[in-house]
Amino acid sequence: MEITTVAAKRFSEKLLEWHHQHNTRSLPWKGVKDPYKIWLSEVILQQTRAMQGLPYYVLFIEKWPDINALAAAPHEEVFRAWQGLGYYSRCKNMLVTARIIATQYGGVFPAQYAHILALKGIGAYTASAIASFAFGLPHAVVDGNVYRILSRYLGIPDSIDTTQGKKLFATVATAMLHQEDSAAYNQAIMDFGATVCIPAKPGCSSCPLQEGCYAFRNNVTNSFPVRSKKLTIKTRHFGYVILECNGEIWLHKREAGDIWENLHEPYLIEHTGPVDAEFVKNELAQYQYALNGHIQHISTEKQRLTHQHIHFYFFHVRLTQKLPIAHGNWLSKKQLGKLAFPKSLFKVFDLHLLR
Ligand code: SF4
């Protein structure tokens, strides 16, 4: 796809004009030059809406105001502060990167794009955001917002979910970038995608780019961006049994290879369909000698992740003696308060056990 310098300039200048005159989206990390704060905000905002991420950003900056403070923080404390944001691999990678910068870069964030990109958990989007916002380097951010705006504006028929399509969009995004003011341009395109050229019902009627926009002129905004693959969603059923004995709860730390690595959970029975008390009783039949009274159903919840829909069935069982279950520990309620749990579990623990 050929993009003339004149066309790119027209696009980027109109976008910057909108940014300076009409962009009222105010967030605490906007306009910041400190690479630590930019990085932190970008990591929090991956897969998370700005309003949901905002209190986490404020909390992290308060607790750990610079990269060295974060690098020195205990692992469990950082995970606990992250609790509720989901996608915990972000938190794990963030800690690895903080520690690399503290030890290998003397606590100073690297200023070269290639060095930033080489850090754990930093992809091309975050590297471009840090490089442009903190160091004024000419690197264009490319994410869902950018795919949408550029595909609509230029009428790009290529799929955004193929390797070839991604390469093409990266090239187009670089061609459209305002070279002299990459920071303002990147901020503008992020905010424009979040407030004007939104997925459903974009604000075309008052859009400053409307004159040159292919999708608007042809009344096909809903046809862009183009995707080739259909998302496959897996449905899972998690029966969680909170086993309690003398004020202690049995907990297991989740391992790599599945969701919620390093977070804690009670005894899990994963099943192909809904889990009820009868099913739990059969599963625990070998421990019948320690079951005291009935298996109490606490609640049923649902959580939608990008590729998985999870149904939770929570149960509480009081035991007369601790069960000899491997790969877990019996912990007091006080100790529980220091651990990190997946969001859905934390709610149940908080409501039923920690009060
Ligand atoms: S005219 Fe509509 S589709 Fe085109 S860039 Fe503006 S908001 Fe997006």
Side-chain angles (χ1 to χ4, degrees):
M1 162 162 266
E2 193 138 336
I3 294 161
T4 64
T5 318
V6 176
K9 213 167 170 55
R10 194 186 312 130
F11 173 85
S12 64
E13 290 199 335
K14 283 232 182 263
L15 196 61
L16 282 185
E17 203 179 298
W18 169 83
H19 180 57
H20 294 309
Q21 292 178 6
H22 305 287
N23 188 5
T24 52
R25 198 168 180 239
S26 155
L27 291 162
W29 49 81
K30 268 177 73 170
V32 162
K33 296 273 173 224
D34 178 348
Y36 169 66
K37 290 182 179 165
I38 296 164
W39 166 67
L40 191 61
S41 68
E42 291 301 332
V43 174
I44 288 174
L45 294 182
Q46 288 163 10
Q47 319 272 354
T48 301
R49 283 176 292 109
M51 282 308 125
Q52 192 199 346
L54 182 61
Y56 288 88
Y57 173 80
V58 173
L59 175 75
F60 268 76
I61 296 293
E62 257 174 37
K63 277 174 94 79
W64 302 293
D66 56 44
I67 195 101
N68 291 317
L70 181 63
H75 187 93
E76 280 298 349
E77 206 183 318
V78 178
F79 266 77
R80 193 151 169 84
W82 188 270
Q83 192 162 254
L85 261 182
Y87 300 97
Y88 287 84
S89 55
R90 290 183 290 170
C91 183
K92 187 180 154 202
N93 291 336
M94 185 177 72
L95 264 178
V96 172
T97 283
R99 287 166 187 168
I100 288 174
I101 295 175
T103 53
Q104 293 177 22
Y105 290 92
V108 179
F109 219 98
Q112 284 181 29
Y113 179 80
H115 292 172
I116 302 171
L117 186 62
L119 293 165
K120 191 97 180 145
I122 297 190
Y125 176 87
T126 306
S128 294
I130 298 168
S132 63
F133 294 151
F135 307 113
L137 300 175
H139 289 274
V141 292
V142 186
D143 70 346
N145 283 332
V146 176
Y147 285 147
R148 190 168 59 252
I149 298 166
L150 295 182
S151 64
R152 284 174 173 170
Y153 185 79
L154 297 166
I156 303 175
D158 301 63
S159 304
I160 59 169
D161 53 2
T162 60
T163 312
Q164 219 181 341
K166 283 184 178 138
K167 260 192 204 159
L168 174 86
F169 273 92
T171 309
V172 173
T174 302
M176 301 300 261
L177 178 73
H178 195 285
Q179 297 287 322
E180 295 78 42
D181 200 350
S182 59
Y185 172 90
N186 278 340
Q187 191 62 64
I189 204 159
M190 285 175 179
D191 291 348
F192 192 76
T195 58
V196 181
C197 196
I198 52 178
K201 299 191 184 150
C204 302
S205 56
S206 56
C207 174
L209 300 174
Q210 124 191 153
E211 201 185 305
C213 178
Y214 175 91
F216 175 73
R217 282 191 277 115
N218 294 284
N219 198 19
V220 285
T221 52
N222 289 341
S223 309
F224 294 98
V226 174
R227 280 185 185 80
S228 63
K229 293 177 207 150
K230 211 172 161 243
L231 194 66
T232 31
I233 295 172
K234 189 172 164 189
T235 300
R236 301 175 79 178
H237 297 268
F238 284 9
Y240 273 125
V241 189
I242 298 165
L243 299 168
E244 185 171 356
C245 184
N246 297 332
E248 291 189 336
I249 310 272
W250 185 90
L251 285 177
H252 161 252
K253 193 172 190 175
R254 287 182 67 90
E255 285 142 22
D258 200 349
I259 51 172
W260 307 327
E261 184 186 340
N262 282 329
L263 301 191
H264 293 80
E265 65 183 0
Y267 188 76
L268 170 65
I269 303 168
E270 182 165 3
H271 186 43
T272 50
V275 179
D276 60 16
E278 202 48 39
F279 190 84
V280 173
K281 199 174 161 193
N282 287 336
E283 286 290 309
L284 296 179
Q286 61 174 313
Y287 304 121
Q288 196 58 41
Y289 62 89
L291 300 186
N292 178 22
H294 75 298
I295 293 163
Q296 187 201 351
H297 176 234
I298 299 176
S299 66
T300 300
E301 317 267 343
K302 249 193 259 175
Q303 187 178 0
R304 285 166 180 267
L305 303 174
T306 318
H307 295 94
Q308 303 189 21
H309 289 177
I310 304 179
H311 297 260
F312 299 99
Y313 312 89
F314 291 102
F315 301 89
H316 184 207
V317 179
R318 286 188 197 282
L319 302 163
T320 52
Q321 55 182 283
K322 289 177 186 171
L323 306 183
I325 310 172
H327 310 300
N329 292 302
W330 290 91
L331 299 169
S332 70
K333 291 185 184 177
K334 205 169 157 200
Q335 287 172 303
L336 241 73
K338 295 196 178 87
L339 303 179
F341 299 96
K343 192 178 175 183
S344 313
L345 271 66
F346 180 74
K347 257 196 327 197
V348 172
F349 271 46
D350 197 33
L351 280 175
H352 298 274
L353 297 170
L354 296 178
R355 304 205 151 180

